[in-house]
Amino acid sequence: MSDTAQLIIGDKTYELPVITGTEDEKAIDISKLRDQSGYVTLDIGYKNTGATKSAITFLDGEKGILKYRGYSIEQLAEKSTFIEVAYLLIYGDLPTAEQLKDFQYQLSRHTLVQEDMKKFFDGFPQGSHPMGQLSSLVCAMSAFYPDSLKPNQTAQEVNLSIVKTLAKMSTLVSWIYKKSLGHPYIYPRNKYDYVTNFLYMTFGQRTEEIEIDPVIVDAMNKLLILHADHEQNCSASTVRIVGSSDSNLYASLSAGISALWGPLHGGANQAVIEMLEKIQQDGGDTDKWIAKAKDKNDPFRLMGFGHRVYKNFDPRARIIKKACDDILEKLGIDDEVLQIAKKLEEVALKDPYFVQRKLYPNVDFYSGIIYRALGFPTDMFTVLFALGRLPGWIAQWKEMKENKEPIGRPRQIYTGEVNREYVDIDKR
Ligand code: ACO
């Protein structure tokens, strides 16, 4: 089979190399096209554009496959922990018992944040959105840990920034939650593993000892694993492109958090619950809301349905649906909102509008229901997504650096006015 593609423009033929990935994905390499022909390609929204070569995550949207470093998401969600998966994504292999112990030790040594960072929380108005807080706090870490700004950092120095970010993120996220309640911040405890420590700082009180339920630790591990990476999505691409200008790790991650915030990306988990609550308050008539989603004159979309790449099913949604059922049963919660979600799913999966457009429930359709059952307020959901996605963003940033990728700088097709003469203001 040919390993080049031919592009014919007018009377000229251009030979373009064909690249094949390890999972047999094919791409036409157009990196020399403009030099050779003067043409660029146009792909608004990058639906057909490979921005990089990556060895981190593979997904096949048609077959519903997701793998981190070659391991299926199903196996990782069943057998692994979030921290083990973080290690896998960032360093490329599953850790040995010794490596995992050392990684956990390093993380526990860096969970404290500079005390001065607490002043940020005093400055944010009560009720300000947790994602805005998180993005600012993560960017501000560059001021508190300026080593990350050094050009040409050694691998050890980069690694220290990575460990610090992972460790401190859980403290910052739990403190954002505490701030929303007006409760005192709880300091990390080194005796706990990463996820237990996060739950302890989030739900713990200074006034009493609390027990962290292993069912909740398990659920949280699963949720974080399922969100840990998703190849070149909007936020990961943002992290890579910001990092490609040699911006430091914290600034790159902060940009990724901002990208995740939008309701068409990570913000969907908040939007799903808000939508379900609205349907509940409206009397629970799912048919009415399905009709609204199908009406082209109505801007309403069924949140948690559809995905840019999964056009059959989202494998994470399957795992999370089961986890959701288990957790609600174990915690003895009968949530009416979940009943509405199930009804919507059932109707939408049979409706030709959704079937023809291959719109299936995505990971966010169920994650919000679990977070709600665990006691998180709605506007914390996307922050929890960010906590899970952090190792993926770090892995993407690290890979981009190690591959010495050039600064990301797309081209455009200009469609504006040409050659206008300046008219003085009194003559316009
Ligand atoms: N409800 C109703 N109609 C929908 C929905 C939906 N949730 N999603 C897509 N459609 C329709 C569109 O109107 C369009 O119809 P048309 O062909 O008649 O014009 C068709 O399906 C294709 O939709 P696009 O927007 O072109 O698909 P795209 O791949 O660009 O968008 C996206 C994917 C943004 C996720 C979209 O499905 C959506 O907005 N879903 C709801 C938001 C959501 O759940 N986002 C979370 C994504 S997962 C994540 O980030 C972790």
Side-chain angles (χ1 to χ4, degrees), residues 86-370:
Y87 186 100
L88 171 71
L89 286 167
I90 295 168
Y91 303 110
D93 292 302
L94 282 173
T96 61
E98 197 57 37
Q99 285 168 329
L100 185 61
K101 201 170 142 212
D102 179 55
F103 189 47
Q104 276 169 341
Y105 173 75
Q106 286 183 52
L107 289 176
S108 67
R109 299 281 301 165
H110 288 284
T111 44
L112 283 174
V113 294
Q114 280 263 357
E115 282 292 295
D116 278 347
M117 280 198 87
K118 285 208 291 199
K119 295 190 183 127
F120 279 88
F121 291 94
D122 298 338
F124 292 129
Q126 194 67 17
S128 56
H129 198 284
M131 284 298 273
Q133 294 184 41
L134 187 67
S135 180
S136 327
L137 288 163
V138 170
C139 200
M141 280 172 68
S142 55
F144 290 92
Y145 308 104
D147 283 358
S148 63
L149 307 181
K150 259 176 51 187
N152 306 320
Q153 282 192 302
T154 63
Q156 283 89 337
E157 286 167 336
V158 170
N159 197 48
L160 186 59
S161 295
I162 289 175
V163 167
K164 277 184 181 165
T165 316
L166 276 171
K168 292 177 201 311
M169 180 93 156
S170 67
T171 310
L172 292 175
V173 168
S174 62
W175 286 8
I176 289 172
Y177 176 60
K178 288 297 189 199
K179 155 90 187 179
S180 77
L181 298 174
H183 286 183
Y185 309 120
I186 305 293
Y187 282 82
R189 286 265 172 95
N190 285 0
K191 67 174 180 176
Y192 291 132
D193 65 82
Y194 188 89
V195 171
T196 309
N197 201 16
F198 167 67
L199 293 168
Y200 166 77
M201 289 187 285
T202 304
F203 297 117
Q205 293 293 348
R206 288 208 193 162
T207 43
E208 60 190 4
E209 281 298 312
I210 64 153
E211 290 287 313
I212 304 295
D213 187 336
V215 173
I216 297 180
V217 176
D218 188 53
M220 201 68 215
N221 264 300
K222 271 205 176 65
L223 279 163
L224 296 174
I225 289 171
L226 293 179
H227 286 93
D229 195 45
H230 214 230
E231 53 117 301
Q232 306 311 315
N233 53 75
C234 179
S235 56
S237 307
T238 302
V239 170
R240 283 183 94 119
I241 207 161
V242 173
S244 76
S245 74
D246 258 352
S247 276
N248 63 81
L249 176 64
Y250 303 120
S252 309
L253 294 172
S254 163
I257 293 166
S258 299
L260 187 76
W261 192 355
L264 298 187
H265 191 13
N269 57 13
Q270 172 175 348
V272 168
I273 288 292
E274 284 168 357
M275 172 191 78
L276 294 174
E277 285 173 349
K278 211 162 160 188
I279 298 175
Q280 182 191 25
Q281 283 152 18
D282 188 50
D285 182 355
T286 45
D287 290 340
K288 173 179 156 187
W289 289 84
I290 295 266
K292 268 169 78 63
K294 287 159 48 174
D295 181 355
K296 288 284 158 215
N297 298 317
D298 190 326
F300 173 74
R301 277 191 169 196
L302 211 50
M303 295 319 271
F305 268 75
H307 197 277
R308 171 55 64 81
V309 286
Y310 291 124
K311 299 298 178 195
N312 251 326
F313 68 93
D314 179 342
R316 303 166 302 170
R318 277 197 181 160
I319 301 168
I320 221 166
K321 184 179 179 186
K322 166 125 192 7
C324 185
D325 284 341
D326 292 351
I327 290 156
L328 294 191
E329 198 192 317
K330 276 184 193 158
L331 297 178
I333 294 173
D334 184 16
D335 191 343
E336 202 194 321
V337 156
L338 176 68
Q339 302 313 325
I340 293 175
K342 283 192 166 161
K343 225 162 114 194
L344 270 186
E345 185 188 4
E346 200 185 307
V347 180
L349 287 180
K350 285 191 212 129
D351 190 299
Y353 174 96
F354 292 90
V355 175
Q356 279 158 18
R357 288 171 180 75
K358 299 183 185 246
L359 300 170
Y360 294 84
N362 58 49
V363 66
D364 288 327
F365 193 64
Y366 284 102
S367 64
I369 295 168
I370 303 184

Side-chain angles (χ1 to χ4, degrees), residues 19-40:
I19 309 284
T20 305
T22 50
E23 291 268 8
D24 216 28
E25 286 175 298
K26 308 264 184 239
I28 299 165
D29 180 351
I30 53 127
S31 50
K32 302 264 183 319
L33 181 64
R34 188 171 179 278
D35 287 348
Q36 289 169 358
S37 69
Y39 282 72
V40 296

